[in-house]
mmCIF file of all heavy atoms in Angstrom:
data_model
loop_
_atom_site.group_PDB
_atom_site.id
_atom_site.type_symbol
_atom_site.label_atom_id
_atom_site.label_comp_id
_atom_site.label_asym_id
_atom_site.label_seq_id
_atom_site.Cartn_x
_atom_site.Cartn_y
_atom_site.Cartn_z
ATOM 1 N N SER A 7 -28.608 56.662 -17.000
ATOM 2 C CA SER A 7 -27.716 57.785 -17.280
ATOM 3 C C SER A 7 -27.310 58.407 -15.960
ATOM 4 O O SER A 7 -27.810 58.049 -14.897
ATOM 5 C CB SER A 7 -28.441 58.843 -18.119
ATOM 6 O OG SER A 7 -29.500 59.426 -17.377
ATOM 7 N N ARG A 8 -26.379 59.348 -16.025
ATOM 8 C CA ARG A 8 -26.006 60.046 -14.788
ATOM 9 C C ARG A 8 -27.197 60.790 -14.220
ATOM 10 O O ARG A 8 -27.318 60.954 -13.018
ATOM 11 C CB ARG A 8 -24.856 61.033 -15.089
ATOM 12 C CG ARG A 8 -24.300 61.698 -13.838
ATOM 13 C CD ARG A 8 -23.637 60.704 -12.910
ATOM 14 N NE ARG A 8 -23.573 61.214 -11.541
ATOM 15 C CZ ARG A 8 -23.117 60.537 -10.520
ATOM 16 N NH1 ARG A 8 -22.694 59.306 -10.667
ATOM 17 N NH2 ARG A 8 -23.081 61.069 -9.310
ATOM 18 N N ARG A 9 -28.137 61.196 -15.100
ATOM 19 C CA ARG A 9 -29.348 61.859 -14.610
ATOM 20 C C ARG A 9 -30.128 60.927 -13.696
ATOM 21 O O ARG A 9 -30.693 61.341 -12.681
ATOM 22 C CB ARG A 9 -30.210 62.308 -15.783
ATOM 23 C CG ARG A 9 -31.461 63.084 -15.361
ATOM 24 C CD ARG A 9 -32.252 63.534 -16.578
ATOM 25 N NE ARG A 9 -33.393 64.326 -16.178
ATOM 26 C CZ ARG A 9 -33.354 65.616 -15.913
ATOM 27 N NH1 ARG A 9 -32.206 66.263 -15.987
ATOM 28 N NH2 ARG A 9 -34.440 66.270 -15.564
ATOM 29 N N ASP A 10 -30.165 59.643 -14.070
ATOM 30 C CA ASP A 10 -30.824 58.657 -13.214
ATOM 31 C C ASP A 10 -30.151 58.596 -11.847
ATOM 32 O O ASP A 10 -30.799 58.488 -10.816
ATOM 33 C CB ASP A 10 -30.760 57.257 -13.850
ATOM 34 C CG ASP A 10 -31.618 57.152 -15.090
ATOM 35 O OD1 ASP A 10 -32.741 57.675 -15.061
ATOM 36 O OD2 ASP A 10 -31.154 56.552 -16.073
ATOM 37 N N VAL A 11 -28.818 58.640 -11.865
ATOM 38 C CA VAL A 11 -28.087 58.597 -10.610
ATOM 39 C C VAL A 11 -28.431 59.808 -9.759
ATOM 40 O O VAL A 11 -28.620 59.729 -8.557
ATOM 41 C CB VAL A 11 -26.562 58.558 -10.868
ATOM 42 C CG1 VAL A 11 -25.811 58.516 -9.550
ATOM 43 C CG2 VAL A 11 -26.200 57.336 -11.699
ATOM 44 N N LEU A 12 -28.541 60.953 -10.399
ATOM 45 C CA LEU A 12 -28.842 62.173 -9.674
ATOM 46 C C LEU A 12 -30.235 62.111 -9.068
ATOM 47 O O LEU A 12 -30.471 62.502 -7.943
ATOM 48 C CB LEU A 12 -28.728 63.380 -10.607
ATOM 49 C CG LEU A 12 -27.359 63.542 -11.286
ATOM 50 C CD1 LEU A 12 -27.339 64.793 -12.140
ATOM 51 C CD2 LEU A 12 -26.248 63.584 -10.272
ATOM 52 N N GLN A 13 -31.193 61.584 -9.860
ATOM 53 C CA GLN A 13 -32.541 61.417 -9.328
ATOM 54 C C GLN A 13 -32.525 60.424 -8.176
ATOM 55 O O GLN A 13 -33.229 60.580 -7.187
ATOM 56 C CB GLN A 13 -33.479 60.930 -10.437
ATOM 57 C CG GLN A 13 -33.727 61.990 -11.503
ATOM 58 C CD GLN A 13 -34.492 61.437 -12.686
ATOM 59 O OE1 GLN A 13 -34.611 60.225 -12.874
ATOM 60 N NE2 GLN A 13 -35.019 62.323 -13.497
ATOM 61 N N GLY A 14 -31.663 59.403 -8.320
ATOM 62 C CA GLY A 14 -31.503 58.445 -7.240
ATOM 63 C C GLY A 14 -30.948 59.106 -5.999
ATOM 64 O O GLY A 14 -31.331 58.783 -4.878
ATOM 65 N N SER A 15 -30.043 60.050 -6.194
ATOM 66 C CA SER A 15 -29.478 60.776 -5.054
ATOM 67 C C SER A 15 -30.555 61.562 -4.330
ATOM 68 O O SER A 15 -30.569 61.645 -3.109
ATOM 69 C CB SER A 15 -28.383 61.725 -5.542
ATOM 70 O OG SER A 15 -27.305 61.009 -6.085
ATOM 71 N N THR A 16 -31.478 62.141 -5.096
ATOM 72 C CA THR A 16 -32.581 62.862 -4.482
ATOM 73 C C THR A 16 -33.430 61.904 -3.645
ATOM 74 O O THR A 16 -33.835 62.208 -2.529
ATOM 75 C CB THR A 16 -33.480 63.506 -5.552
ATOM 76 O OG1 THR A 16 -32.671 64.368 -6.348
ATOM 77 C CG2 THR A 16 -34.578 64.317 -4.922
ATOM 78 N N ALA A 17 -33.670 60.724 -4.222
ATOM 79 C CA ALA A 17 -34.438 59.727 -3.474
ATOM 80 C C ALA A 17 -33.711 59.316 -2.206
ATOM 81 O O ALA A 17 -34.311 59.095 -1.169
ATOM 82 C CB ALA A 17 -34.691 58.504 -4.360
ATOM 83 N N LEU A 18 -32.394 59.197 -2.319
ATOM 84 C CA LEU A 18 -31.604 58.868 -1.137
ATOM 85 C C LEU A 18 -31.799 59.901 -0.046
ATOM 86 O O LEU A 18 -31.997 59.576 1.124
ATOM 87 C CB LEU A 18 -30.119 58.807 -1.499
ATOM 88 C CG LEU A 18 -29.594 57.490 -2.083
ATOM 89 C CD1 LEU A 18 -28.208 57.718 -2.650
ATOM 90 C CD2 LEU A 18 -29.579 56.415 -1.038
ATOM 91 N N ALA A 19 -31.765 61.170 -0.444
ATOM 92 C CA ALA A 19 -31.925 62.240 0.540
ATOM 93 C C ALA A 19 -33.312 62.206 1.151
ATOM 94 O O ALA A 19 -33.490 62.364 2.357
ATOM 95 C CB ALA A 19 -31.669 63.586 -0.120
ATOM 96 N N PHE A 89 -21.866 51.059 -13.096
ATOM 97 C CA PHE A 89 -23.218 51.545 -13.359
ATOM 98 C C PHE A 89 -23.495 51.605 -14.858
ATOM 99 O O PHE A 89 -24.540 51.148 -15.337
ATOM 100 C CB PHE A 89 -23.389 52.931 -12.735
ATOM 101 C CG PHE A 89 -24.748 53.524 -12.931
ATOM 102 C CD1 PHE A 89 -25.825 53.091 -12.167
ATOM 103 C CD2 PHE A 89 -24.962 54.520 -13.877
ATOM 104 C CE1 PHE A 89 -27.093 53.635 -12.347
ATOM 105 C CE2 PHE A 89 -26.215 55.072 -14.057
ATOM 106 C CZ PHE A 89 -27.287 54.633 -13.291
ATOM 107 N N ASP A 110 -21.131 54.159 -4.996
ATOM 108 C CA ASP A 110 -22.086 55.256 -5.188
ATOM 109 C C ASP A 110 -23.468 54.733 -4.811
ATOM 110 O O ASP A 110 -24.116 54.022 -5.580
ATOM 111 C CB ASP A 110 -22.066 55.739 -6.636
ATOM 112 C CG ASP A 110 -22.854 57.025 -6.841
ATOM 113 O OD1 ASP A 110 -23.774 57.283 -6.037
ATOM 114 O OD2 ASP A 110 -22.558 57.761 -7.790
ATOM 115 N N ALA A 112 -26.290 56.037 -4.729
ATOM 116 C CA ALA A 112 -27.395 56.455 -5.583
ATOM 117 C C ALA A 112 -27.694 55.433 -6.676
ATOM 118 O O ALA A 112 -28.831 55.341 -7.159
ATOM 119 C CB ALA A 112 -27.089 57.814 -6.213
ATOM 120 N N HIS A 113 -26.709 54.653 -7.079
ATOM 121 C CA HIS A 113 -26.928 53.630 -8.099
ATOM 122 C C HIS A 113 -28.038 52.671 -7.690
ATOM 123 O O HIS A 113 -28.853 52.246 -8.518
ATOM 124 C CB HIS A 113 -25.641 52.834 -8.335
ATOM 125 C CG HIS A 113 -24.526 53.630 -8.939
ATOM 126 N ND1 HIS A 113 -23.222 53.186 -8.969
ATOM 127 C CD2 HIS A 113 -24.519 54.846 -9.541
ATOM 128 C CE1 HIS A 113 -22.462 54.080 -9.566
ATOM 129 N NE2 HIS A 113 -23.217 55.101 -9.912
ATOM 130 N N ILE A 115 -30.591 53.171 -5.726
ATOM 131 C CA ILE A 115 -31.913 53.784 -5.813
ATOM 132 C C ILE A 115 -32.425 53.731 -7.245
ATOM 133 O O ILE A 115 -33.597 53.440 -7.504
ATOM 134 C CB ILE A 115 -31.861 55.243 -5.312
ATOM 135 C CG1 ILE A 115 -31.426 55.283 -3.846
ATOM 136 C CG2 ILE A 115 -33.218 55.919 -5.485
ATOM 137 C CD1 ILE A 115 -32.352 54.584 -2.889
ATOM 138 N N VAL A 116 -31.540 53.984 -8.203
ATOM 139 C CA VAL A 116 -31.921 53.924 -9.619
ATOM 140 C C VAL A 116 -32.321 52.506 -9.996
ATOM 141 O O VAL A 116 -33.380 52.273 -10.592
ATOM 142 C CB VAL A 116 -30.765 54.406 -10.517
ATOM 143 C CG1 VAL A 116 -31.130 54.242 -11.995
ATOM 144 C CG2 VAL A 116 -30.433 55.864 -10.226
ATOM 145 N N ARG A 119 -35.628 51.640 -8.421
ATOM 146 C CA ARG A 119 -36.749 52.307 -9.081
ATOM 147 C C ARG A 119 -37.090 51.644 -10.416
ATOM 148 O O ARG A 119 -38.248 51.553 -10.811
ATOM 149 C CB ARG A 119 -36.412 53.781 -9.310
ATOM 150 C CG ARG A 119 -37.590 54.599 -9.831
ATOM 151 C CD ARG A 119 -37.210 56.040 -10.155
ATOM 152 N NE ARG A 119 -36.272 56.096 -11.262
ATOM 153 C CZ ARG A 119 -35.091 56.695 -11.199
ATOM 154 N NH1 ARG A 119 -34.674 57.262 -10.077
ATOM 155 N NH2 ARG A 119 -34.299 56.712 -12.257
ATOM 156 N N MET A 196 -16.489 61.098 -6.501
ATOM 157 C CA MET A 196 -17.638 61.960 -6.789
ATOM 158 C C MET A 196 -18.263 62.452 -5.490
ATOM 159 O O MET A 196 -18.536 63.642 -5.305
ATOM 160 C CB MET A 196 -18.676 61.216 -7.630
ATOM 161 C CG MET A 196 -19.999 61.967 -7.793
ATOM 162 S SD MET A 196 -19.830 63.608 -8.547
ATOM 163 C CE MET A 196 -19.610 63.156 -10.264
ATOM 164 N N PRO A 334 -27.073 63.877 -0.450
ATOM 165 C CA PRO A 334 -27.440 63.436 -1.789
ATOM 166 C C PRO A 334 -28.326 64.417 -2.557
ATOM 167 O O PRO A 334 -28.238 64.502 -3.778
ATOM 168 C CB PRO A 334 -28.173 62.110 -1.530
ATOM 169 C CG PRO A 334 -27.588 61.625 -0.248
ATOM 170 C CD PRO A 334 -27.391 62.864 0.566
ATOM 171 N N ALA A 335 -29.182 65.151 -1.854
ATOM 172 C CA ALA A 335 -30.050 66.117 -2.551
ATOM 173 C C ALA A 335 -29.214 67.194 -3.230
ATOM 174 O O ALA A 335 -29.502 67.607 -4.353
ATOM 175 C CB ALA A 335 -31.021 66.741 -1.555
ATOM 176 N N ALA A 336 -28.168 67.639 -2.555
ATOM 177 C CA ALA A 336 -27.288 68.643 -3.153
ATOM 178 C C ALA A 336 -26.483 68.047 -4.295
ATOM 179 O O ALA A 336 -26.223 68.716 -5.301
ATOM 180 C CB ALA A 336 -26.372 69.226 -2.088
ATOM 181 N N VAL A 337 -26.089 66.794 -4.160
ATOM 182 C CA VAL A 337 -25.369 66.129 -5.245
ATOM 183 C C VAL A 337 -26.257 66.088 -6.485
ATOM 184 O O VAL A 337 -25.794 66.309 -7.602
ATOM 185 C CB VAL A 337 -24.950 64.705 -4.833
ATOM 186 C CG1 VAL A 337 -24.334 63.963 -6.019
ATOM 187 C CG2 VAL A 337 -23.955 64.762 -3.686
ATOM 188 N N GLU A 338 -27.545 65.820 -6.276
ATOM 189 C CA GLU A 338 -28.500 65.776 -7.401
ATOM 190 C C GLU A 338 -28.495 67.094 -8.162
ATOM 191 O O GLU A 338 -28.548 67.126 -9.387
ATOM 192 C CB GLU A 338 -29.891 65.462 -6.861
ATOM 193 C CG GLU A 338 -30.960 65.238 -7.933
ATOM 194 C CD GLU A 338 -31.583 66.532 -8.417
ATOM 195 O OE1 GLU A 338 -31.694 67.462 -7.613
ATOM 196 O OE2 GLU A 338 -31.929 66.626 -9.620
ATOM 197 N N LYS A 339 -28.415 68.181 -7.446
ATOM 198 C CA LYS A 339 -28.467 69.494 -8.073
ATOM 199 C C LYS A 339 -27.139 69.883 -8.715
ATOM 200 O O LYS A 339 -27.115 70.658 -9.675
ATOM 201 C CB LYS A 339 -28.844 70.555 -7.030
ATOM 202 C CG LYS A 339 -30.248 70.392 -6.471
ATOM 203 C CD LYS A 339 -30.507 71.445 -5.393
ATOM 204 C CE LYS A 339 -31.886 71.284 -4.779
ATOM 205 N NZ LYS A 339 -32.116 72.272 -3.690
ATOM 206 N N MET A 340 -26.036 69.361 -8.178
ATOM 207 C CA MET A 340 -24.729 69.898 -8.555
ATOM 208 C C MET A 340 -23.791 68.923 -9.251
ATOM 209 O O MET A 340 -22.697 69.312 -9.676
ATOM 210 C CB MET A 340 -24.037 70.443 -7.301
ATOM 211 C CG MET A 340 -24.783 71.558 -6.615
ATOM 212 S SD MET A 340 -23.956 72.097 -5.088
ATOM 213 C CE MET A 340 -22.401 72.697 -5.751
ATOM 214 N N SER A 341 -24.178 67.659 -9.382
ATOM 215 C CA SER A 341 -23.237 66.649 -9.846
ATOM 216 C C SER A 341 -22.684 66.931 -11.242
ATOM 217 O O SER A 341 -21.475 66.815 -11.465
ATOM 218 C CB SER A 341 -23.902 65.272 -9.824
ATOM 219 O OG SER A 341 -22.937 64.271 -9.918
ATOM 220 N N GLU A 342 -23.540 67.269 -12.177
ATOM 221 C CA GLU A 342 -23.053 67.564 -13.528
ATOM 222 C C GLU A 342 -22.138 68.784 -13.514
ATOM 223 O O GLU A 342 -21.119 68.828 -14.213
ATOM 224 C CB GLU A 342 -24.223 67.775 -14.484
ATOM 225 C CG GLU A 342 -25.025 66.518 -14.781
ATOM 226 C CD GLU A 342 -24.172 65.417 -15.411
ATOM 227 O OE1 GLU A 342 -23.282 65.742 -16.226
ATOM 228 O OE2 GLU A 342 -24.390 64.245 -15.082
ATOM 229 N N GLN A 343 -22.499 69.756 -12.725
ATOM 230 C CA GLN A 343 -21.669 70.945 -12.591
ATOM 231 C C GLN A 343 -20.312 70.588 -11.986
ATOM 232 O O GLN A 343 -19.272 71.108 -12.401
ATOM 233 C CB GLN A 343 -22.371 71.985 -11.711
ATOM 234 C CG GLN A 343 -21.551 73.235 -11.442
ATOM 235 C CD GLN A 343 -22.196 74.141 -10.408
ATOM 236 O OE1 GLN A 343 -23.385 74.039 -10.121
ATOM 237 N NE2 GLN A 343 -21.411 75.027 -9.830
ATOM 238 N N LYS A 345 -18.702 67.675 -12.154
ATOM 239 C CA LYS A 345 -17.874 66.986 -13.134
ATOM 240 C C LYS A 345 -17.284 67.957 -14.148
ATOM 241 O O LYS A 345 -16.093 67.897 -14.473
ATOM 242 C CB LYS A 345 -18.677 65.903 -13.844
ATOM 243 C CG LYS A 345 -18.998 64.703 -12.990
ATOM 244 C CD LYS A 345 -19.389 63.507 -13.841
ATOM 245 C CE LYS A 345 -20.632 63.777 -14.663
ATOM 246 N NZ LYS A 345 -21.018 62.601 -15.461
#
Side-chain angles (χ1 to χ4, degrees):
S7 66
R8 186 65 202 176
R9 183 178 183 84
D10 291 318
V11 180
L12 303 182
Q13 291 172 345
S15 295
T16 303
L18 276 168
F89 181 77
D110 190 335
H113 294 166
I115 299 298
V116 176
R119 187 184 65 236
M196 171 58 77
V337 174
E338 186 275 328
K339 295 177 182 178
M340 299 177 63
S341 196
E342 291 300 323
Q343 177 188 342
K345 289 198 298 181

